[in-house]
Amino acid sequence: MTLSSASSTSTPFPQTALPGIELLPGRPPTLCAPPVADPVEWAGAHRDALRAAVAEHGSLLVRGLGLHEPALTGAVLRRLADGLMQDQEAFAPRRRYADGVYSSSKWPPNQPMCMHHELSYALEFPGLLMFACLEAPAEGGATGVADSAAVLDALPAELVQRFEKEGWLLTRTFNDEIGATVAEAFGTSDRASVERYCRAHAIEFTWEPDGSLRTRQHRGAVLRHPVTGRRCWFNQIAFLNEWTMDPEVHEYLVDVYGADGLPFNTRYGNGDPIGLDVVQLLNDVYAAHTVREPWRGGDLLLVDNIRTAHSREPFEGPREVLAALADPVRRTDSPDSTVSADIAGSAGSFEGTSS
């Protein structure tokens, strides 16, 4: 895949220029598409230009395509992507609409999903995220975005240096009561298959006497963008940390499962716990760099998953947002240096360089 230009696969439609993109403070770059009879054909005709805009700005909100139906929306998403990915290692369950097309993660509507990069703890993750709003909520529920290179520059140098040197740890406990189950995260409940996956993806694992699975994976916290070369704060250190949980939820989970049995938690790469003050700092820096625009039904949001973090605000009322994970990138972890990444599956793939 490439974030800045089309892949070697051609599209049957002529490539045409985009109308003007609005760049307003506090909002993501926004394109108001003209009325179109066939959104799939329009997406094909503007594919290269849309992807170039995402490469330039980090994200792009496309308004006016009228994406209100899953089958049509899925066809548009497939037209824009080099290839859709299966949702593996999910931290929360999703509904599957079609091959590679899912609901947004099932998360309590009254709780925010803090800034993160999708599957940043996996060895292979999406380079491009696509979200389509079939039904906007009555209140709230915006998908905010934040520039990860700007976030990195705003963080204290000593904190960045520690995470660059040590990386970060994600610990998870899978059971059938909270969060994603083993089957939802790995696509199977067969122990041998899960173990093969974990070994192939640098995940340590232990089966507990009660049948639950505990995993541990060590990843780099800073990634050099494989196309632009920019250093990006790329992880889920804050979002998947215990101190980002609602205090009452955290207290309940610790009481029921114990401090070591939380569905997920993060640590410094050497195993030290990450303090509440650090988590608050990370979330405060994200908040200072967040831009947002309330969803309207039919909207499409394209996000460069490396350059741009995303979040989901609490909401009221029904909210239906489809998600597609596209254009896989494979990371080559090296906790003592800036992590590099290879663009998977493209002709003449790019490779990031370590600092």
Side-chain angles (χ1 to χ4, degrees):
M1 79 83 182
T2 126
L3 300 180
S4 59
S5 62
S7 72
S8 57
T9 303
S10 61
T11 136
F13 302 105
Q15 300 300 301
T16 55
L18 293 173
I21 295 175
E22 293 182 350
L23 301 176
L24 299 175
R27 295 176 56 190
T30 302
L31 169 68
C32 293
V36 294
D38 187 343
V40 179
E41 181 173 349
W42 186 91
H46 294 84
R47 179 186 189 277
D48 284 0
L50 290 166
R51 292 172 65 94
V54 176
E56 179 181 359
H57 302 293
S59 65
L60 180 67
L61 176 66
V62 183
R63 179 154 280 170
L65 289 183
L67 304 180
H68 297 289
E69 192 272 323
L72 173 65
T73 301
V76 169
L77 301 182
R78 282 187 288 272
R79 183 59 59 86
L80 293 173
D82 283 345
L84 300 185
M85 299 174 59
Q86 298 299 313
D87 187 30
Q88 294 282 84
E89 298 185 51
F91 61 83
R94 298 179 186 267
R95 173 186 171 187
R96 182 179 178 275
Y97 280 86
D99 191 31
V101 180
Y102 300 89
S103 70
S104 54
S105 298
K106 294 181 180 179
W107 199 257
N110 64 335
Q111 296 180 23
M113 294 177 66
C114 298
M115 280 289 173
H116 63 286
H117 298 265
E118 201 70 27
L119 293 177
S120 59
Y121 47 80
L123 288 189
E124 188 169 272
F125 57 85
L128 176 68
L129 303 178
M130 298 181 287
F131 302 101
C133 180
L134 273 58
E135 181 179 7
E139 183 176 341
T143 298
V145 292
D147 186 299
S148 59
V151 168
L152 176 65
D153 291 342
L155 291 172
E158 62 275 14
L159 181 66
V160 173
Q161 290 167 2
R162 177 170 185 180
F163 276 115
E164 282 196 284
K165 180 179 179 180
E166 298 180 8
W168 63 291
L169 290 173
L170 172 65
T171 60
R172 302 183 66 177
T173 299
F174 298 87
N175 56 50
D176 293 332
E177 298 170 351
I178 186 167
T181 65
V182 169
E184 288 167 336
F186 296 100
T188 178
S189 57
D190 177 69
R191 285 197 176 193
S193 298
V194 171
E195 291 172 6
R196 283 194 298 271
Y197 181 95
C198 289
R199 293 189 185 100
H201 292 82
I203 302 173
E204 301 174 19
F205 62 89
T206 302
W207 295 100
E208 298 297 309
D210 63 0
S212 62
L213 172 68
R214 292 190 178 181
T215 63
R216 181 177 182 270
Q217 49 212 102
H218 187 196
R219 300 291 183 252
V222 177
L223 187 143
R224 193 176 292 277
H225 196 289
V227 173
T228 68
R230 296 186 67 187
R231 294 168 67 250
C232 299
W233 182 250
F234 182 79
N235 54 71
Q236 283 167 246
I237 292 169
F239 178 38
L240 296 181
N241 187 272
E242 60 181 316
W243 298 121
T244 296
M245 297 179 186
D246 179 275
E248 292 185 0
V249 173
H250 178 263
E251 182 180 359
Y252 169 79
L253 292 176
V254 171
D255 183 58
V256 173
Y257 299 104
D260 294 330
L262 295 174
F264 44 77
N265 200 5
T266 61
R267 291 176 173 266
Y268 288 105
N270 69 351
D272 288 348
I274 299 173
L276 173 60
D277 58 334
V278 172
V279 174
Q280 288 179 331
L281 169 66
L282 294 175
N283 284 327
D284 287 345
V285 172
Y286 275 131
H289 290 82
T290 296
V291 297
R292 60 177 59 78
E293 171 67 11
W295 282 114
R296 295 181 189 173
D299 282 352
L300 172 67
L301 178 64
L302 308 175
V303 177
D304 178 334
N305 187 40
I306 300 174
R307 179 176 166 183
T308 305
H310 68 282
S311 63
R312 192 222 68 192
E313 298 175 356
F315 65 92
E316 295 182 4
R319 178 184 187 271
E320 188 173 14
V321 174
L322 269 58
L325 288 58
D327 303 2
V329 177
R330 187 170 182 85
R331 65 191 297 159
T332 53
D333 259 332
S334 177
D336 59 348
S337 64
T338 300
V339 177
S340 64
D342 296 326
I343 298 176
S346 64
S349 65
F350 294 81
E351 180 174 348
T353 55
S354 297
S355 62

